[in-house]
């Protein structure tokens, strides 16, 4: 049994990293990053079969993770660094000239842990299905995970990929939708509602799980359940309910912190709510 | 090596691969955007994907997928694009892409190849499999003369001398190489000695071959089945402007969409026939000196 408290301490530090990173360059996307923190901390800490010290592009013999909604790079960078993919102090270079920690993740600067560029939305599920198919060709039994935003599901390519995954029985992939129901211009329901998301993915032939993305115990149990559902000739998708801005009270309950950085005063206010558990970078 | 096709297996002649290697052939359905992202993903674990669909659906339709998931991500994907240009014929302008070379050569790191006949296309296919990095391979639909020697070595970025000459350099790519050969015969009757160079690789372009030839001839005509904006002609003009400016005339489509018709009718209608190359040579020779 995983030590929930330990994971929650990691998550608190990652949330501090996120707000400090975006504050330092007055840009970046804290809202979705904070909402997905618990999931990524649990995935890298307890679920993935990976070895950061032996990272390579091909990832043969390891699980793979793709971030399709690349704008939440701060949370991914923090989790990668805190798992040993690169030095934690490098988080201070986020979005600065010549950094490996570009605004949106890329392979271009050779950052360990990143296997494809993302930022322009809707492309990650296709890449993940391709990587999962190569795993099958290589007789590699490990799994491929991919995180998407809910607003991102408005992109048509996602549904091309969804049809493919079911039609071709790609059953070594676990998709996760960050269902925070907010996007840049407002609530997803107001911008262009997605309807019954569970019914949609089921109609597209995927096995659907629903998860409370800001409840560490629930995240762990659902990720384990999703793994158990793999290999049954159907792809798996988790609809992960999260709160944009989770962990910082004034960032929750609104879409306004999707892509806005806190000022000095707001940073101080946010850090008061987030315990420094591992030492700031 | 793996192959992907978006519901055009017969048109792309990919059936043999699909039949022989069913595990390594991916039928993607009519979803080109997914195909490009999927191909990028297949490279993770060391596969070399070859995508197959018409040139229009290989480029304009999926430009952002190629840009982000393949080119910027540095993925070893070979984008094989058939039915390019006017000579697609009767299907008309929706399918006759004439902008693809321009779009693809602008992408950092992308190699752009436009072979001229069956033998060169075959040799190019083998060569790009060995090249590490993204490649755009553009070819056409109609049956055309197969004049490249079967054993000719294909070196990416290396021009092929078709016919040495002294009065004018004709630099041609794709189907217009054959048109340039026809034009060269006409010019010879008029007493004009044309040096004909086949540029199969538009990026990286063979600067040395171009500069060496124009040092001798002092003028150049470029010929391509593509918009003059953004195509081979502009690449050659860039070389000349930087290294040795000489008069240049452009044979290509001039800011127009095509239409339905037979391949040769269309090449003539849009100024891409052998007589258009002869006309361009006449113009450029007048500008010389």
């Amino acid at each position: 049994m995983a030590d929930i408290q330990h994971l929650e301490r990691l998550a608190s530090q990652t949330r501090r990293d996120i707000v400090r990173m975006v504050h330092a360059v007055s840009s970046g996307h804290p809202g979705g990053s904070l909402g997905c923190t618990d999931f990524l901390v649990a995935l890298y800490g307890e679920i993935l079969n990976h070895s950061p010290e032996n990272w390579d592009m091909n990832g043969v013999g390891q699980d793979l993770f793709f971030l399709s909604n690349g704008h939440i790079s701060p949370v991914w960078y923090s989790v990668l660094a805190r798992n040993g993919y690169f030095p934690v102090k490098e988080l201070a270079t986020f979005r600065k000239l010549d950094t490996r920690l570009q605004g949106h993740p890329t392979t271009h600067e050779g950052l360990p842990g990143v296997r494809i560029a993302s930022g322009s939305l809707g492309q990650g599920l296709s890449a993940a299905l391709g990587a999962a198919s190569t795993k099958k060709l290589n007789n590699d039994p490990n799994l491929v995970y991919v995180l998407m935003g809910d607003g991102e599901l408005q992109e048509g390519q996602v549904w091309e990929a969804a049809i493919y995954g079911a039609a071709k029985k790609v059953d070594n992939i676990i998709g996760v939708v960050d269902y925070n129901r907010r996007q840049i211009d407002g609530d997803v329901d107001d911008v262009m509602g997605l309807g019954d998301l569970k019914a949609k993915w089921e109609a597209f032939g995927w096995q659907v799980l629903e998860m409370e993305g800001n409840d560490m115990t629930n995240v762990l149990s659902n990720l384990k359940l999703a793994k158990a559902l793999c290999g049954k000739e159907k792809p798996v998708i988790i609809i992960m309910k999260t709160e944009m801005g989770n962990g910082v009270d004034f960032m929750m309950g609104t879409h306004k912190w999707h892509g806005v950085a806190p000022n000095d005063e707001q940073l101080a206010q946010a850090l008061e709510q987030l315990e420094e558990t591992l030492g700031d970078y | 090596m793996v192959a992907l096709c978006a519901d055009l297996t017969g048109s792309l002649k990919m059936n043999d691969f699909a039949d022989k290697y069913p595990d390594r052939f991916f039928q993607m359905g009519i979803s080109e955007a997914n195909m490009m992202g999927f191909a990028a993903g297949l490279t993770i674990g060391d596969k070399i994907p070859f995508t197959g669909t018409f040139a229009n659906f290989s480029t304009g339709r999926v430009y952002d997928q190629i840009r982000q998931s393949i080119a910027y991500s540095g993925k070893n994907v070979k984008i094989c694009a058939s039915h390019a240009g006017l000579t697609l014929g009767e299907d008309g302008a929706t399918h006759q892409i004439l902008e693809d070379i321009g779009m693809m050569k602008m992408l950092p790191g992308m190699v752009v190849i436009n072979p001229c006949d069956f033998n060169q296309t075959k040799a190019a296919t083998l060569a790009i499999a060995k090249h590490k990095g993204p490649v755009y391979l553009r070819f056409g639909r109609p049956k055309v003369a197969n004049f490249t020697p079967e054993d000719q070595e294909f070196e990416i970025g290396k021009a092929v001398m078709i016919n040495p000459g002294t009065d004018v350099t004709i630099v041609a790519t794709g189907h217009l190489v054959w048109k340039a050969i026809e034009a060269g015969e006409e010019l010879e009757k008029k007493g004009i000695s044309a040096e004909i160079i086949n540029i199969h690789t538009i990026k990286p372009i063979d600067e040395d071959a171009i500069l060496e030839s124009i040092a001798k001839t002092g003028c150049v005509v470029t010929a391509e089945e593509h918009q003059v904006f953004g195509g081979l002609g502009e690449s050659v003009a860039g070389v000349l402007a930087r290294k040795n400016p000489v008069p240049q005339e452009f044979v290509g489509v001039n800011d127009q969409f095509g239409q339905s018709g037979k391949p040769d009718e269309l090449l003539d209608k849009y100024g891409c026939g052998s007589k258009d190359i002869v006309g361009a040579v006449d113009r450029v020779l007048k500008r010389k000196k």
Side-chain angles (χ1 to χ4, degrees):
Chain A
M1 182 60 195
D3 183 344
I4 297 291
Q5 270 187 329
H6 172 65
L7 292 175
E8 284 172 348
R9 284 168 59 79
L10 295 175
S12 178
Q13 186 63 52
T14 281
R15 287 190 164 94
R16 285 182 70 89
D17 291 345
I18 292 165
V19 290
R20 293 182 68 239
M21 286 163 74
V22 298
H23 166 264
V25 287
S26 300
S27 75
H29 298 78
S33 293
L34 291 165
C36 290
T37 296
D38 302 303
F39 161 65
L40 279 168
V41 165
L43 183 74
Y44 275 81
E46 287 294 328
I47 302 293
L48 280 187
N49 168 32
H50 66 136
S51 56
E53 62 282 4
N54 298 321
W55 188 86
D56 74 357
M57 177 57 76
N58 287 323
V60 175
Q62 300 189 29
D63 290 334
L64 307 181
F65 171 76
F66 292 92
L67 182 68
S68 189
N69 48 334
H71 57 274
I72 68 163
S73 58
V75 60
W76 196 22
Y77 293 152
S78 168
V79 169
L80 286 173
R82 302 261 172 208
N83 275 275
Y85 280 87
F86 54 85
V88 170
K89 66 176 190 306
E90 201 171 339
L91 295 175
T93 69
F94 174 62
R95 285 185 172 236
K96 291 177 181 165
L97 191 64
D98 293 332
T99 182
R100 300 196 291 179
L101 279 59
Q102 291 289 302
H104 294 81
T106 174
T107 58
H108 197 257
E109 328 300 339
L111 186 69
V114 181
R115 291 193 166 86
I116 200 158
S118 59
S120 177
L121 295 171
Q123 301 186 30
L125 185 57
S126 300
L129 285 164
S133 299
T134 283
K135 285 222 173 289
K136 289 198 172 209
L137 284 174
N138 288 341
N139 295 314
D140 179 346
N142 291 282
L143 299 177
V144 175
Y145 296 79
V146 54
L147 175 62
M148 297 167 272
D150 52 1
E152 181 177 10
L153 302 186
Q154 292 160 352
E155 293 280 8
Q157 186 182 346
V158 174
W159 301 100
E160 292 184 6
I163 295 170
Y164 184 95
K168 308 290 179 171
K169 302 184 171 64
V170 184
D171 58 5
N172 55 344
I173 187 168
I174 296 174
V176 180
V177 175
D178 177 19
Y179 193 47
N180 61 25
R181 308 187 68 163
R182 301 188 199 281
Q183 59 188 109
I184 298 180
D185 273 356
D187 289 355
V188 173
D189 281 342
D190 294 333
V191 175
M192 188 169 83
L194 296 166
D196 185 339
L197 206 49
K198 183 167 188 274
K200 267 202 174 75
W201 282 100
E202 279 171 350
F204 273 74
W206 289 57
Q207 302 182 86
V208 184
L209 294 177
E210 290 177 295
M211 179 164 100
E212 294 297 331
N214 296 127
D215 174 337
M216 197 62 90
T217 308
N218 191 281
V219 168
L220 274 181
S221 61
N222 271 292
L223 287 177
K224 284 173 185 167
L225 181 56
K227 277 176 79 164
L229 288 173
C230 286
K232 300 188 191 308
E233 301 203 331
K234 275 177 118 181
V236 178
I237 188 97
I238 302 173
I239 297 174
M240 174 174 77
K241 290 182 198 145
T242 67
E243 179 68 38
M244 190 183 266
N246 184 277
V248 178
D249 57 7
F250 62 89
M251 291 187 179
M252 293 192 278
T254 171
H255 65 275
K256 295 199 171 117
W257 291 91
H258 166 88
V260 176
N263 62 26
D264 293 349
E265 194 183 323
Q266 289 161 332
L267 174 70
Q269 207 181 329
L271 291 177
E272 273 174 28
Q273 301 169 40
L274 300 166
E275 190 189 348
E276 183 180 352
T277 52
L278 301 177
D280 288 337
Y281 65 82
Chain B
M1 196 102 70
V2 292
L4 304 82
C5 189
D7 196 32
L8 288 167
T9 312
S11 300
L12 269 289
K13 311 279 187 213
M14 295 174 88
N15 308 67
D16 287 349
F17 186 94
D19 291 345
K20 207 166 169 188
Y21 309 108
D23 291 350
R24 291 191 280 129
F25 177 75
F26 295 89
Q27 171 57 268
M28 304 302 297
I30 311 167
S31 59
E32 295 84 5
N34 184 46
M35 177 166 74
M36 292 304 170
F38 191 93
L42 281 168
T43 65
I44 299 164
D46 225 13
K47 299 292 175 244
I48 306 171
F50 282 65
T51 67
T53 183
F54 290 177
N56 188 26
F57 314 135
S58 294
T59 57
R61 188 177 181 92
V62 291
Y63 196 63
D64 188 45
Q65 284 77 17
I66 294 173
R67 181 177 180 273
Q68 175 173 288
S69 290
I70 296 175
Y72 184 42
S73 295
K75 297 304 184 198
N76 193 22
V77 176
K78 316 303 171 187
I79 301 162
C80 301
S82 71
H83 295 61
L86 293 166
T87 52
L88 168 126
E90 290 81 354
D91 281 343
T94 52
H95 289 50
Q96 290 163 346
I97 194 153
L98 294 162
E99 304 83 29
D100 53 325
I101 291 173
M103 282 190 278
M104 300 307 279
K105 79 177 184 183
M106 292 245 292
L107 292 171
M110 181 69 70
V111 168
V112 178
I113 297 174
N114 186 24
C116 61
D117 64 6
F118 175 84
N119 284 344
Q120 195 173 73
T121 306
K122 185 176 172 185
T125 305
L126 296 170
I128 65 172
K130 289 183 189 134
H131 172 84
K132 192 134 176 79
V135 175
Y136 179 62
L137 181 69
R138 175 206 218 227
F139 44 95
R141 176 192 199 186
K143 283 205 172 96
V144 293
N146 188 25
F147 52 90
T148 300
E150 208 175 346
D151 59 350
Q152 187 175 82
E153 200 191 335
F154 187 99
E155 196 181 329
I156 293 171
K158 192 86 184 148
V160 176
M161 176 65 76
I162 302 275
N163 184 59
T166 53
D167 297 329
V168 60
T169 301
I170 302 174
V171 174
T173 193
H175 291 149
L176 264 58
V177 177
W178 181 247
K179 297 291 171 193
I181 293 170
E182 288 179 340
E185 286 166 3
E186 282 303 306
L187 291 164
E188 203 179 334
K189 285 180 201 159
K190 295 164 62 166
I192 297 165
S193 166
E195 177 146 300
I196 301 171
I197 295 174
N198 167 206
I199 293 270
H200 50 61
T201 306
I202 290 150
K203 185 185 167 196
I205 199 158
D206 189 345
E207 293 201 3
D208 292 344
I210 294 164
L211 291 169
E212 209 171 290
S213 181
I214 59 130
K216 190 167 55 173
T217 63
C219 63
V220 62
V221 167
T222 50
E224 61 195 307
E225 189 184 349
H226 189 271
Q227 300 288 353
V228 293
F229 301 123
L232 167 70
E234 284 198 345
S235 288
V236 172
V239 174
L240 302 185
R242 284 191 296 272
K243 301 283 174 68
N244 185 8
V246 298
Q248 177 183 356
E249 290 289 328
F250 296 71
V251 172
V253 178
N254 193 2
D255 203 21
Q256 287 175 290
F257 288 105
Q259 60 169 303
S260 295
K262 292 194 172 68
D264 274 336
E265 288 175 349
L266 289 163
L267 288 178
D268 287 341
K269 169 100 185 168
Y270 291 94
C272 298
S274 51
K275 70 171 175 22
D276 299 295
I277 298 175
V278 172
V281 167
D282 288 341
R283 289 197 305 276
V284 85
L285 285 173
K286 280 182 195 137
R287 290 173 57 202
K288 196 165 126 178
K289 280 177 276 179

